[in-house]
Amino acid sequence: MLPEPRTPHPPDPLRSAKILLVDDEPLILVILCGFLESTAAHISEASSAEEALKACDRDQFDLVITDRFMPGLDGIELSRTLKQRDPAPRVILISGMNGKLETEPERGPDAFLPKPFSRDELLRTIREVLGGARQG
């Protein structure tokens, strides 16, 4: 009897993704990089929304993970600005504020992830967003 053919697993979208991490707290950037370094293909960092916009002028990213509250432009404003420029990059908004943020994928973040979150929660949210599923 022949073994049943294996169905190939779909490729992990993280393996080829270009991800930009945006947070004004250096420790959060270190933690996020630690969560992603063995999984994601390309990771860049920005310490402000303004720095993130400059990075997006120089390079194309598949995903931007940004803090909600930062000096200057906040994460929602960053998300809306990015979506106006190019709707392709996905945006995950992270925040330590309690409650749930309604997302507007056409104009704002594609998903919201409340802090604190685990590595598994982050990776699951990234895979959902990069795979096309939207959170609200």
Side-chain angles (χ1 to χ4, degrees):
M1 180 173 202
L2 294 173
E4 288 190 32
R6 288 183 163 201
T7 55
H9 291 287
D12 186 346
L14 271 169
R15 293 285 176 206
S16 60
K18 291 182 79 170
I19 300 174
L20 177 61
L21 306 174
V22 187
D23 203 302
D24 61 314
E25 294 183 41
L27 181 58
I28 299 298
L29 290 174
V30 169
I31 291 168
L32 289 172
C33 281
F35 280 174
L36 297 173
E37 68 185 353
S38 66
T39 310
H42 308 281
I43 302 169
S44 298
E45 300 174 28
S47 60
S48 69
E50 293 80 6
E51 191 178 316
L53 290 172
K54 289 177 186 173
C56 290
D57 286 340
R58 292 187 305 269
D59 205 351
Q60 283 191 304
F61 294 95
D62 300 301
L63 176 66
V64 176
I65 301 174
T66 181
D67 189 24
R68 164 68 171 93
F69 295 103
M70 298 180 288
L73 287 177
D74 70 12
I76 297 233
E77 293 166 340
L78 172 61
S79 177
R80 288 183 178 150
T81 301
L82 290 171
K83 297 281 183 169
Q84 287 171 353
R85 289 179 173 191
D86 179 4
R90 302 288 187 225
V91 179
I92 296 174
L93 191 72
I94 57 175
S95 177
M97 298 295 293
N98 290 333
K100 188 165 178 137
L101 177 74
E102 292 301 318
T103 59
E104 301 174 40
E106 300 80 28
R107 298 182 309 178
D110 296 277
F112 172 68
L113 190 58
K115 294 178 191 172
F117 49 81
S118 68
R119 179 179 186 271
D120 289 342
E121 290 169 317
L122 176 64
L123 296 178
R124 181 175 54 251
T125 302
I126 291 171
R127 286 182 176 112
E128 287 172 358
V129 167
L130 289 177
R134 295 257 162 86
Q135 279 187 298

